Amino acid sequence: MSGSAARLQAIDAVIAYEAPNPTFAPAEAPGEVFGRNVFTKAVMQKRLPKAVFRSVVATIEQQVPLDPAIADAVASAMKDWALEKGATHYAHVFYPLTHSTAEKHDSFFEPDGEGSSIAEFAGRTLVQGEPDASSFPNGGLRSTFEARGYTGWDVTSPAYVLENTNGTTLCIPTVFVSMTGEALDHKTPLLRSQQALATQAARVLKLFGHDDPGTIVSYAGPEQEYFLIDRHFFLSRPDLLNAGRTLFGARPPKGQEFDDHYFGAIPDRVLAFMLHAERELFKVGIPAKTRHNEVAPGQFEIAPMFERSNLAADHQQLLMVTMKRVAREHGMELLFHEKPFEGVNGSGKHVNFSFGSSTVGNLLLPGDTPHANAQFLVFCAAIIRAVHKYGGLLRASVASATNDHRLGANEAPPAIISIFLGDQLADVFEQVAKGGATSSKEKGTMTIGVDTLPVLPTDPGDRNRTSPFAFTGNRFEFRAPGSMQSIASPVYTINTIVTEALDFIATELEERVAGGEEFHHAVQKVLEQIITDHGAAVFNGDGYSEQWQIEAEARGLKNLRTTMDALPELITDEAIELFGRYGVFSEREMHSRYEIAVEQYELSIAVEAKLTVEIAGTSVLPAAIRYQTQLAQNVAALTAAGVEADTSLLRAVSTPIAALHAALTALRAVTFEEGHGAGVDAALHARDVLLPAMAAVREAADELETLVADDLWPLATYQEMLFIR
Ligand code: ADP
Ligand code: MG
């Protein structure tokens, strides 16, 4: 079937499509299914001996090392529970340095030698697995003769069973490390950074009189944006199928009234999907809340409640897999790509961040006494210092070929990392900077900047949607992460840079107090120093404006526009020292991450370049030539009949055809020629040569889309994909 026939059939199929379950009405209330498939603390309490249960909870809640002696008991209880739920297999789930989630499945059942089988699941099987690491990126951490990698049980993220029509699986969240214990995944550094944060936060809290603050952890609440399109269209577009984004497509005419059936039954179908997806998420304990999003046609958002960031990161990965699966059951494809459609807003994943413990509460919540507020200001100041000092690392934590299409494109924050405090808080820090400490009051009360702090509303009305890092009343919202990425790298980066700031603050305060300085005076002085040294990152204005680019440069803030500008931040001496000092990454691990990110960047653009060559050469150009031939035949026929033929249309089509031909020839050459090296050289070639060459091909092809007869056009159009559902 020719390209255009396939497209037209897809349209017919979509219009004729009947949802399998148009009025999705679950029999049970959400509360009844929530956590049903999770090996929760409550389940463990019921099934484990008391001492074993207490030991596991200590590991989960207080980061006490896991007692290996209890593994057998936990494994056995977990297995029985999973078998009762119908599980036949177990899987160590891990998060390699791609965007995906990996699972190694094994059967519970082993032959017993008597012709039957017995269910086996020992403690050592629970604690450690041994997948072949060779198919996952390692950035030089694994020599070719040692392909093994190890997965290790993360006790702090509960196991769960995943239902599938072909069988149910017990899933165990794990870390993934090399033979030599080096991190090959997203989870390991996240866990390490939580520990570092806990240590330094406790030092600061001790100075504020909290001798036993509980284990401080960071919390993350991700807001996930995505597109939904009918699966027929998805399958008819090789670019969407292979690259996740459209490499071609003229923009839909603005303000166009669409046919009635284009809009038919949209809400029902999407709503049915949302309710279904929510239910599946509830079962595995993900506290999701779906909403419609009006930003772009076909775009929606889901925001789970915030959780401990390690759990939030695991849940976020599981959410993406689950949502995609459920969308397919409803005949739709869910797109997590940051920029599936050019000229239409892309998708991000805001990461809301705070930290605290059940004992001391949220440390980013303004207090209602001056003392509590001083503590709040100290933790806020730590974030200001972190963002200013390590803005480049934050930028690098969200760097990818796909997110480059979105950052700085007036729909997402710019590549300049600044921090938004809101008028009130910014004002307080301005007072602090003016040196309230000079008018120091008597012992026991605070100095001006701190004690005039007004009671801050927890949800300040002023929201700055253009800021990459904004205070929103009781948390900071990092708005630069891409929709497709794991939230682990932004979170472990924030954890680590805040850890450094807290370490700095604790050391300063301890020294000042040891030197006889009154505590609140010392706090005032340290706040003053931080806002003086790092206030340049505070920006409350319009981050999308031209002016900000200029001002940011004057302030000395980095503007790392592309991934290849941002990634070198990972291997500066300063970055390596920082992550090394807090035990989050070794130097080798940093280099490995850098190399993997460069490689992923290059690979994803190289795939797109090849797809562009293929689609332009085998679909777009042939369709255009067919149309050109029809026009030429028409001119010839008219001329033969003695009618004067107008050749303007033929010429109008021939110009972009020639342009497409030329651009395609050029792209083919730079895509397939050898000699662009590897690593950084290849990545820079991708950015500086392939991307512009692809853009030239697209430009000519998109022009043709507006000229060629619709019944010949091979690719589903933006209008169809975005509006027919
Ligand atoms: P908005 O759209 O105004 O940014 P949403 O309600 O869409 O807010 O999303 C807020 C997200 O922030 C949710 O995931 C929520 O759980 C999360 N969140 C709320 N409070 C905190 C907190 N203290 N720490 C981390 N995340 C939080
Ligand atoms: Mg938000």
Side-chain angles (χ1 to χ4, degrees):
M1 188 172 16
S2 78
S4 54
R7 168 180 155 238
L8 298 173
Q9 280 203 359
I11 297 171
D12 287 344
V14 177
I15 291 169
Y17 179 84
E18 281 194 34
N21 190 358
T23 48
F24 184 80
E28 293 150 303
E32 287 175 65
V33 291
F34 192 83
R36 173 190 288 174
N37 291 349
V38 185
F39 195 61
T40 56
K41 256 190 273 170
V43 174
M44 284 194 273
Q45 188 163 23
K46 235 184 269 162
R47 290 173 178 259
L48 290 173
K50 258 204 188 77
V52 174
F53 174 69
R54 268 200 300 269
S55 171
V56 175
V57 170
T59 300
I60 296 171
E61 283 172 4
Q62 290 140 41
Q63 302 188 346
V64 175
L66 176 70
D67 174 4
I70 64 163
D72 275 328
V74 179
S76 163
M78 205 186 270
K79 180 197 69 186
D80 291 344
W81 172 80
L83 292 178
E84 285 164 28
K85 297 245 164 227
T88 52
H89 288 69
Y90 63 90
H92 280 199
V93 177
F94 56 101
Y95 312 94
L97 295 176
T98 58
H99 293 298
S100 62
T101 301
E103 294 164 7
K104 173 155 191 290
H105 290 243
D106 286 288
S107 173
F108 277 123
F109 298 95
E110 289 176 13
D112 65 358
E114 313 276 310
S116 316
S117 69
I118 47 161
E120 276 295 350
F121 192 59
R124 65 186 152 73
T125 320
L126 166 65
V127 172
Q128 187 174 318
E130 212 177 296
D132 181 355
S134 59
S135 46
F136 299 104
N138 65 82
L141 286 181
R142 173 187 61 78
S143 50
T144 35
F145 57 86
E146 180 46 83
R148 260 178 310 174
Y150 292 95
T151 51
W153 180 33
D154 172 14
V155 187
T156 64
S157 184
Y160 52 93
V161 297
L162 215 48
E163 296 169 353
N164 187 293
T165 34
N166 297 314
T168 293
T169 305
L170 168 67
C171 295
I172 302 152
T174 63
V175 295
F176 180 46
V177 296
S178 76
M179 205 18 211
T180 45
E182 284 159 315
L184 297 173
D185 68 346
H186 288 299
K187 183 189 268 292
T188 306
L190 181 44
L191 290 171
R192 292 173 180 164
S193 70
Q194 286 281 55
Q195 252 173 48
L197 179 73
T199 307
Q200 299 305 329
R203 275 178 70 201
V204 173
L205 285 167
K206 193 172 165 57
L207 288 157
F208 277 94
H210 303 282
D211 287 328
D212 189 12
T215 305
I216 304 297
V217 292
S218 67
Y219 301 99
E223 298 165 58
Q224 172 79 60
E225 292 179 330
Y226 60 92
F227 280 87
L228 276 177
I229 67 169
D230 190 281
R231 206 161 145 71
H232 292 93
F233 291 136
F234 174 75
L235 294 174
S236 80
R237 297 268 322 209
D239 46 2
L240 276 180
L241 195 59
N242 291 294
R245 74 169 175 121
T246 53
L247 298 168
F248 297 92
R251 295 176 192 190
K254 253 204 177 121
Q256 165 157 352
E257 305 294 330
F258 293 95
D259 264 358
D260 268 0
H261 67 225
Y262 276 18
F263 278 116
I266 295 174
D268 283 357
R269 190 171 178 193
V270 173
L271 203 62
F273 154 75
M274 283 179 168
L275 293 172
H276 187 178
E278 217 164 72
R279 211 177 132 74
E280 291 304 304
L281 294 172
F282 281 170
K283 281 189 197 163
V284 288
I286 300 177
K289 213 173 75 189
T290 52
R291 272 131 359 142
H292 296 257
N293 210 5
E294 309 297 328
V295 180
Q299 192 185 33
F300 307 92
E301 183 183 294
I302 181 164
M305 269 286 294
F306 70 95
E307 300 177 282
R308 273 185 294 121
S309 52
N310 173 44
L311 189 57
D314 289 3
H315 276 169
Q316 183 58 32
Q317 293 301 110
L318 183 54
L319 176 144
M320 292 197 283
V321 174
T322 306
M323 300 269 291
K324 254 188 177 307
R325 175 173 58 76
V326 175
R328 283 189 191 141
E329 284 182 41
H330 291 253
M332 293 184 286
E333 187 68 26
L334 190 149
L335 308 174
F336 282 121
H337 195 287
E338 281 80 2
K339 194 75 177 174
F341 305 101
E342 211 170 271
V344 173
N345 269 5
S347 301
K349 177 147 59 194
H350 296 176
V351 175
N352 292 270
F353 177 93
S354 66
F355 53 115
S357 72
S358 50
T359 313
V360 294
N362 177 0
L363 295 171
L364 294 177
L365 192 65
D368 31 84
T369 65
H371 181 82
N373 266 338
Q375 180 186 305
F376 159 72
L377 285 182
V378 161
F379 284 103
C380 263
I383 301 222
I384 295 174
R385 175 184 163 99
V387 170
H388 181 246
K389 207 161 176 233
Y390 300 108
L393 283 172
L394 283 174
R395 171 67 184 89
S397 77
V398 300
S400 69
T402 51
N403 207 19
D404 276 3
H405 294 293
R406 190 183 145 259
L407 288 182
N410 267 13
E411 61 185 82
I416 307 161
I417 304 293
S418 64
I419 185 165
F420 171 80
L421 296 176
D423 291 341
Q424 219 166 12
L425 194 53
D427 185 51
V428 169
F429 272 106
E430 253 164 52
Q431 289 179 45
V432 171
K434 280 190 200 126
T438 48
S439 54
S440 136
K441 292 184 180 174
E442 47 202 79
K443 203 168 158 41
T445 64
M446 263 176 293
T447 48
I448 270 164
V450 174
D451 72 3
T452 57
L453 179 64
V455 177
L456 293 167
T458 48
D459 192 15
D462 52 341
R463 286 281 177 112
N464 184 331
R465 301 270 166 204
T466 69
S467 173
F469 210 94
F471 183 66
T472 57
N474 62 354
R475 61 190 186 267
F476 280 89
E477 182 173 349
F478 187 25
R479 299 208 181 95
S483 48
M484 182 152 71
Q485 76 174 97
S486 157
I487 64 165
S489 68
V491 169
Y492 67 65
T493 303
I494 302 173
N495 277 351
T496 308
I497 64 183
V498 170
T499 295
E500 189 277 343
L502 293 173
D503 184 0
F504 167 82
I505 289 170
T507 306
E508 283 289 309
L509 288 177
E510 283 162 4
E511 279 172 11
R512 283 174 180 273
V513 170
E517 209 173 310
E518 193 272 326
F519 177 62
H520 286 120
H521 183 267
V523 167
Q524 174 74 35
K525 279 300 193 188
V526 172
L527 287 177
E528 203 179 307
Q529 185 186 344
I530 290 180
I531 198 67
T532 307
D533 293 349
H534 303 291
V538 177
F539 178 61
N540 289 350
D542 179 4
Y544 293 174
S545 70
E546 220 33 60
Q547 180 53 33
W548 172 231
Q549 307 267 332
I550 300 162
E551 189 184 329
E553 196 181 334
R555 291 187 186 196
L557 300 181
K558 288 177 178 161
N559 189 356
L560 304 167
R561 286 193 175 81
T562 72
T563 291
M564 290 309 293
D565 300 317
L567 291 179
E569 296 289 318
L570 295 176
I571 47 167
T572 62
D573 291 346
E574 196 189 11
I576 288 170
E577 195 279 325
L578 169 79
F579 283 102
R581 191 183 337 150
Y582 298 106
V584 178
F585 285 126
S586 68
E587 180 166 0
R588 260 164 63 84
E589 288 174 326
M590 292 292 281
H591 276 280
S592 131
R593 273 179 204 235
Y594 167 73
E595 276 167 37
I596 291 167
V598 169
E599 188 187 27
Q600 298 271 316
Y601 176 84
E602 189 265 323
L603 285 177
S604 78
I605 295 175
V607 165
E608 290 186 351
K610 285 179 198 155
L611 279 166
T612 304
V613 168
E614 180 193 298
I615 296 167
T618 65
S619 286
V620 176
L621 194 56
I625 289 174
R626 231 173 263 141
Y627 184 53
Q628 187 187 37
T629 306
Q630 285 182 3
L631 291 172
Q633 283 167 345
N634 173 254
V635 168
L638 288 172
T639 310
V643 181
E644 199 193 328
D646 180 353
T647 57
S648 60
L649 189 52
L650 177 57
R651 277 184 278 119
V653 171
S654 299
T655 308
I657 288 181
L660 178 59
H661 210 285
L664 181 56
T665 307
L667 176 63
R668 196 178 270 131
V670 292
T671 301
F672 294 104
E673 75 193 357
E674 302 283 321
H676 295 293
V680 172
D681 290 342
L684 290 177
H685 176 257
R687 183 189 69 180
D688 299 333
V689 180
L690 295 185
L691 285 178
M694 286 160 59
V697 170
R698 178 174 188 158
E699 194 183 327
D702 288 358
E703 188 183 344
L704 283 166
E705 185 182 330
T706 66
L707 295 169
V708 170
D710 186 67
D711 63 343
L712 295 178
W713 193 254
L715 301 171
T717 67
Y718 272 29
Q719 257 180 68
E720 289 155 0
M721 289 185 287
L722 290 169
F723 294 98
I724 308 182
R725 210 168 277 102

